[in-house]
């Protein structure tokens, strides 16, 4: 039996291989169409990308026609190089470089020789295209922006590189792909599906018709349209308010987690990254190391949160039952927590939870924090328990939103302090600066906006997201999943009461809007940097968080203005204006609007820039406007290492 088994297996295997080869080579001709066959030319039909609309159905991003000159190096014969280069206004050196690059990709397959011709250039080339063997026109579509704002939200379109082609077989040389923003996040949905045509050629390399009568041809499928959660009018207004300032604004619908506005300042007109000048303009933006217009501060900047963090200090203290609404502490313009250690405060007198919030009393919240940690016999246990509560608000982690960039901030645990203070003890006094948002905690603006949205909801949130609707599709169910904090619902009401009186009695009085009950919290975060190796105190950051209305809230917002002095000076007015714009759709606080639109912090930013760059700023009148027309090139500058990592 053993003598027969082995020959039988070999015989059967041979028969199966022969049958399979016969089927592939004689019967099934699909592989022939897909192969690199000299007698068949593959031509792609590129679909339009899906259109992008805002939450109210306003068209934001459409398409415009573009024309690429493609080349198949092997078919380039008898070319009048001088005439060809003259027509396309390129040098012979550029011609040779592009041909060499195309040959590296493939001598037989088409690749882009010259991209994004305008209609005039296309018409001129098409007239005499027959003279240039191996070259042909490929029609594509480029983005056509209907608005001059939201560049950080949309992202941009660029040619794929070799790494993308190697990783994803869908793409070929010269194909376009979305990068950054929703163009990258929803690339598979927006790009559509390429159509393919197989053209039969004769022995003279002439097209003689569709291969197999078009049996294997496919038609292009247009990309799906999408609606964003963005309110483009609110986005535009936010970018206008942030002209000549640096920072970020994030506004959310607290009931859904939908992102209403995502402002980074400075920004740029998305249209400058379309067309033949895209690469040049991108390079200019990239090398602007001063204003950093490509840096999305709303998602990437990690700041010390300052006084808005007191909201969490109070909530955790209530949950841990180390305080109640009547617990009081006496403040003498500060808090002495160790020998030679004094935390300054602008408040004085007796503070309880309510006036602790609207007067922003450092002494009150330092005591609450120390009680929270000291509740446990071992400080490390107290810190880890405190950290657990904060994590339930989305801190210290990537939040899972549908944009391709972001930072997780920093949420310290006992491991953090064991590493910081090796070999000797630490306790609540050592880390008491956490209580007022000046310790090791770092938060991005979107995390801070999500935190205040959670407070507005009395203890829950939905993951922030920017997709509202996909035509013919569904959004990820994770954006409809409720996240509940570790803080009981009953503890939010006394905190919200204190935040409401921030506008009526406290640090934001004078910023209120008639007819809208706003709950908010001012913040001033210390800002240090290393300049030429020395630690230098820079102007503080201005911070504000708020939601409105108090009951049934419709908007939650966080505003950061870098080097903006204190919370009520810049961030507070911007917050009030954004809330009124969204809820009323008009502005009644014209006094605040005028001051914010005309105000500038450019002189503050120029203090720490080398003189040659300041002279350039003044000479070219470059501002941090929503449209960066002439970014600053990287020149000699003072070395700055910002303590808030932004």
């Amino acid at each position: 039996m053993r003598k027969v088994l082995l020959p039988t297996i070999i015989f059967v295997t041979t028969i199966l291989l022969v049958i399979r080869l016969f089927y592939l080579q004689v019967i099934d001709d699909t592989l022939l169409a897909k192969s690199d066959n000299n007698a068949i030319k593959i031509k792609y039909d590129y679909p339009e990308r899906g259109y992008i609309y805002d939450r109210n159905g306003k068209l934001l991003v459409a398409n415009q026609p573009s024309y690429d000159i493609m080349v198949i190096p092997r078919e380039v014969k008898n070319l009048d190089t001088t005439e060809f280069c003259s027509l396309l206004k390129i040098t012979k050196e550029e011609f040779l470089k592009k041909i060499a690059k195309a040959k590296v990709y493939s001598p037989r397959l088409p690749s882009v020789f010259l991209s994004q011709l305008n209609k005039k250039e296309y018409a001129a080339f098409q007239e005499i295209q027959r003279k240039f063997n191996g070259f042909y026109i490929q029609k594509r579509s480029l983005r056509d922006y209907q608005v001059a704002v939201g560049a950080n939200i949309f992202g941009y379109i660029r040619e794929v590189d070799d790494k993308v082609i190697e990783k994803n077989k869908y793409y070929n040389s010269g194909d376009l792909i979305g990068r950054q923003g929703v163009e990258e996040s929803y690339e598979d949905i927006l790009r559509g599906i390429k159509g393919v045509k197989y053209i039969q050629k004769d022995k003279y390399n002439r097209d003689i018709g569709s291969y197999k009568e078009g049996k294997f041809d496919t038609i292009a499928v247009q990309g799906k349209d999408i609606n964003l959660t963005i309110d483009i009018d609110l986005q535009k207004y936010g970018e206008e308010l942030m002209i000549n300032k640096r920072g970020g604004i994030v506004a959310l619908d607290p009931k859904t987690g939908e992102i209403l506005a995502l402002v980074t300042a400075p920004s740029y007109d998305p249209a400058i990254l379309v067309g033949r000048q895209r690469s040049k303009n991108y390079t200019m933006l990239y090398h602007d190391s001063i204003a950093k217009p490509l840096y999305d501060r709303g998602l990437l900047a990690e700041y010390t949160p300052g006084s808005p963090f007191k909201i969490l200090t109070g909530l955790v203290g209530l949950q841990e039952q180390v305080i109640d609404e009547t617990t009081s502490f006496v403040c003498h313009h500060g808090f002495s927590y160790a020998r030679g250690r004094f935390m300054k405060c602008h408040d004085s007198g007796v503070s309880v939870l309510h006036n602790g919030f609207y007067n922003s009393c450092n002494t009150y919240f330092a005591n609450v924090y120390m009680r929270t940690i000291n509740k446990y016999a071992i400080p490390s246990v107290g810190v880890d328990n405190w950290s657990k509560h904060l994590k339930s608000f989305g801190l210290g982690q990537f939040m899972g939103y549908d944009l391709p960039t972001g930072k997780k901030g920093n949420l310290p645990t006992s491991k953090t302090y064991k590493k910081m203070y090796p070999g000797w003890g630490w306790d609540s006094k050592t880390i008491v600066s956490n209580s007022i948002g000046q310790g090791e905690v770092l938060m991005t603006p979107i995390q801070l906006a999500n935190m205040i949205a959670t407070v507005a909801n009395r203890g829950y949130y939905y993951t922030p997201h920017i997709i509202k609707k996909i035509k013919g599709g569904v959004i990820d169910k994770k954006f409809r999943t409720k996240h509940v904090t570790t803080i009981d619902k009953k503890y939010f009401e006394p905190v919200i009461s204190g935040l409401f009186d921030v506008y009526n009695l406290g640090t934001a009085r004078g910023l209120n809007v008639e007819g809208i009950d706003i709950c908010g919290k001012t913040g001033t975060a210390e800002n240090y940097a290393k300049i030429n190796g020395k630690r230098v105190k820079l102007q503080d950051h201005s911070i504000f968080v708020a939601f409105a209305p108090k009951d049934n809230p419709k908007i939650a917002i966080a505003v950061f203005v870098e080097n903006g002095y204190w919370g009520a000076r810049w961030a507070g007015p911007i917050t009030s204006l954004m809330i009124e714009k969204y809820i009323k759709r008009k502005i009644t606080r014209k006094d605040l609007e005028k001051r914010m639109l005309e105000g500038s912090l450019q002189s503050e930013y120029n203090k720490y820039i080398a003189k040659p760059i300041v002279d350039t700023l003044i000479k070219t009148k470059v501002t941090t406007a929503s449209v960066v027309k002439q970014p600053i090139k990287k020149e000699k500058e003072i070395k700055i290492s910002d303590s808030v990592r932004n």
Side-chain angles (χ1 to χ4, degrees):
M1 184 66 181
R2 292 181 179 178
K3 293 181 179 180
V4 177
L5 181 60
L6 183 59
T8 301
I9 292 174
I10 295 173
F11 177 76
V12 172
T13 302
T14 303
I15 292 298
L16 291 173
L17 287 173
V18 170
I19 293 172
R20 181 60 177 165
L21 288 172
F22 177 79
Y23 175 79
L24 291 174
Q25 296 184 16
V26 179
I27 298 175
D28 183 12
D29 48 8
T30 58
L31 291 179
L32 180 64
K34 296 177 181 178
S35 68
D36 188 10
N37 193 304
N38 292 338
I40 299 173
K41 180 171 72 175
I42 299 175
K43 187 175 182 180
Y44 293 104
D45 183 14
Y46 289 90
E48 281 195 78
R49 289 181 76 85
Y51 283 35
I52 300 176
Y53 300 84
D54 86 336
R55 67 186 294 107
N56 300 310
K58 293 183 179 180
L59 180 61
L60 306 179
V61 186
N63 298 301
Q64 57 181 308
S66 173
Y67 308 92
D68 294 348
I69 295 180
M70 308 295 291
V71 62
I72 303 175
R74 187 172 178 173
E75 297 180 7
V76 177
K77 298 176 182 177
N78 304 319
L79 180 69
D80 186 336
T81 308
T82 301
E83 181 183 11
F84 185 84
C85 292
S86 177
L87 177 65
L88 297 178
K89 295 181 175 58
I90 61 174
T91 65
K92 188 172 182 180
E93 289 73 20
E94 290 176 301
F95 171 85
L96 295 174
K97 184 178 179 179
K98 291 177 183 294
I99 287 291
K101 182 180 178 181
K103 286 180 179 178
V104 170
Y105 172 69
S106 173
R108 301 177 181 179
L109 298 177
S111 59
V112 176
F113 178 83
L114 196 62
S115 64
Q116 301 177 12
L117 274 67
N118 59 37
K119 291 181 180 180
K120 185 177 180 180
E121 293 169 330
Y122 162 69
F125 183 82
Q126 190 181 39
E127 284 185 5
I128 55 174
Q129 179 181 336
R130 65 186 184 280
K131 298 174 62 176
F132 306 131
N133 294 324
F135 294 90
Y136 69 93
I137 291 288
Q138 174 71 65
K139 184 178 179 181
R140 305 180 196 268
S141 63
L142 297 179
R143 282 316 206 183
D144 184 13
Y145 294 98
Q146 308 300 301
V147 293
V149 298
N152 60 310
I153 296 171
F154 304 138
Y156 55 89
I157 306 299
R158 53 166 271 188
E159 285 187 25
V160 295
D161 54 30
D162 293 339
K163 290 182 179 179
V164 173
I165 295 172
E166 184 179 345
K167 185 178 180 180
N168 191 329
K169 299 304 179 183
Y170 174 85
Y171 298 100
N172 299 307
S173 178
D175 284 2
L176 303 177
I177 190 172
R179 279 288 175 260
Q180 297 184 7
V182 295
E183 295 282 16
E184 179 174 335
S185 294
Y186 292 97
E187 163 69 10
D188 293 349
I189 290 171
L190 289 169
R191 76 185 180 194
I193 302 174
K194 287 184 292 189
V196 183
K197 293 182 180 180
Y198 298 95
I199 310 298
Q200 184 76 48
K201 298 186 292 185
D202 63 14
K203 63 180 181 180
Y204 299 107
N205 203 35
R206 295 175 301 192
D207 295 349
I208 57 176
S210 297
Y211 174 69
K212 295 287 184 179
E213 299 180 345
K215 176 181 177 182
F216 303 107
D217 293 354
T218 60
I219 61 174
V221 179
Q222 182 173 348
K224 294 179 180 178
D225 297 342
I226 64 174
N227 285 73
L228 303 183
T229 61
I230 293 294
D231 181 318
I232 197 59
D233 293 332
L234 186 67
Q235 176 74 23
K236 181 176 182 292
Y237 190 57
E239 293 196 19
E240 289 173 351
L241 292 172
M242 290 296 289
I243 289 175
N244 290 321
K245 308 166 193 73
R246 294 177 191 165
I249 303 174
V250 182
L252 305 175
D253 180 340
K255 297 299 183 186
T256 62
E258 294 176 349
I259 300 173
L260 303 174
L262 181 61
V263 175
T264 182
S267 187
Y268 58 93
D269 185 343
I272 69 173
L273 295 186
V274 176
R276 296 275 291 275
Q277 299 300 311
R278 190 206 73 82
S279 180
K280 177 182 177 182
N281 290 335
Y282 180 84
T283 300
M284 292 174 68
L285 292 172
Y286 180 81
H287 287 295
D288 182 351
S289 62
I290 307 301
K292 301 179 181 179
L294 292 175
Y295 184 70
D296 193 333
R297 286 167 165 84
L299 303 177
L300 291 169
E302 296 173 301
Y303 302 92
T304 51
S307 289
F309 194 77
K310 293 172 182 176
I311 298 171
L312 295 174
T313 301
L315 286 169
V316 175
L318 289 169
Q319 180 66 35
E320 289 295 309
Q321 297 182 3
V322 297
I323 60 165
D324 58 27
E325 295 178 54
T326 64
T327 304
S328 63
F329 301 99
V330 179
C331 177
H332 299 288
H333 293 292
F335 175 56
S336 179
Y337 56 93
R339 178 179 290 182
R341 299 290 182 179
F342 187 75
M343 181 185 291
K344 293 181 180 180
C345 181
H346 60 259
D347 193 21
S348 64
V350 178
S351 290
V352 294
L353 183 71
H354 190 74
N355 68 338
F357 274 118
Y358 70 70
N359 286 330
S360 197
C361 180
N362 289 343
T363 298
Y364 179 85
F365 290 100
N367 276 288
V368 173
Y369 179 77
M370 289 178 63
R371 283 194 179 190
T372 301
I373 304 303
N374 294 340
K375 176 182 176 181
Y376 300 88
I378 304 173
S380 60
V381 176
V383 167
D384 287 339
N385 186 62
W386 168 80
S387 183
K388 177 197 70 175
H389 288 302
L390 300 184
K391 190 174 182 180
S392 72
F393 284 81
L395 273 63
Q397 57 194 301
F398 293 108
M399 300 184 66
Y401 50 74
D402 53 342
L403 287 165
T405 190
K407 291 286 184 68
K408 64 180 182 179
N410 185 56
L411 182 56
T413 64
S414 60
K415 291 182 179 178
T416 306
Y417 297 114
K418 288 175 182 177
K419 186 176 181 180
M420 288 178 63
Y421 305 108
W424 61 282
W426 55 271
D427 56 20
S428 61
K429 295 190 295 293
T430 315
I431 57 176
V432 71
S433 56
N434 282 329
S435 63
I436 60 171
Q438 289 289 170
E440 284 66 51
V441 177
L442 295 176
M443 296 173 65
T444 60
I446 195 170
Q447 287 176 325
L448 202 54
N450 188 66
M451 181 273 287
I452 197 64
T454 307
V455 174
N457 290 336
R458 279 69 171 173
Y460 71 88
Y461 70 90
Y462 291 93
T463 300
H465 55 283
I466 206 160
I467 189 72
K468 188 169 182 67
K469 184 172 68 174
I470 300 171
K471 186 177 182 180
V474 295
I475 65 172
D476 196 319
K477 65 180 182 181
K478 74 178 182 178
F479 300 132
R480 301 188 299 274
T481 302
K482 181 186 286 189
H483 303 275
V484 180
T485 70
T486 57
I487 309 298
D488 295 342
K489 183 177 180 179
K490 63 182 179 182
Y491 294 124
F492 285 89
E493 290 303 335
V495 170
I496 289 172
S497 177
L499 298 179
F500 179 61
D501 277 338
V502 167
Y503 267 86
N504 298 311
L505 304 171
T507 53
R509 59 187 179 275
L511 300 180
N512 57 310
V513 177
E514 186 177 353
I516 303 178
D517 292 336
I518 306 176
C519 300
K521 184 71 190 77
T522 52
T524 306
E526 290 185 348
N527 177 23
Y528 289 89
K530 283 187 177 180
I531 300 180
N532 293 333
K534 295 181 179 180
R535 189 170 186 263
V536 178
K537 174 74 168 64
L538 307 183
Q539 191 55 256
D540 295 336
H541 296 316
S542 176
I543 309 168
F544 205 97
V545 298
F547 66 87
K550 177 175 178 286
D551 301 310
N552 191 27
K554 294 179 174 60
I555 182 173
I557 186 170
V559 178
F560 275 82
V561 180
E562 296 178 10
N563 305 81
Y565 295 80
W566 59 87
R569 179 161 174 171
W570 293 101
I574 289 172
T575 299
S576 293
L577 291 167
M578 290 287 284
I579 289 174
E580 185 176 25
K581 180 71 172 178
Y582 183 69
I583 293 179
K584 289 186 174 182
R585 312 308 294 181
K586 63 179 182 178
I587 297 298
T588 61
R589 290 300 308 267
K590 295 294 185 180
D591 56 327
L592 294 183
E593 183 179 58
K594 185 176 187 296
R595 181 153 57 90
M596 292 302 102
L597 291 177
E598 296 178 357
S600 173
L601 284 168
Q602 196 61 52
S603 60
E604 191 67 44
Y605 305 136
N606 292 346
K607 289 179 182 178
Y608 311 103
I609 304 174
K611 189 176 183 302
I613 298 181
V614 176
D615 292 342
T616 301
L617 282 166
I618 296 171
K619 183 178 179 181
T620 60
K621 298 182 180 179
V622 174
T623 65
T624 53
S626 59
V627 180
V628 177
K629 295 182 179 179
Q630 189 175 356
I632 310 161
K633 294 182 179 180
K634 191 170 185 178
E635 301 181 45
K636 181 181 178 182
E637 58 185 285
I638 300 173
K639 294 182 179 179
I640 300 179
S641 175
D642 200 323
S643 63
V644 296
R645 305 181 191 176
N646 64 337

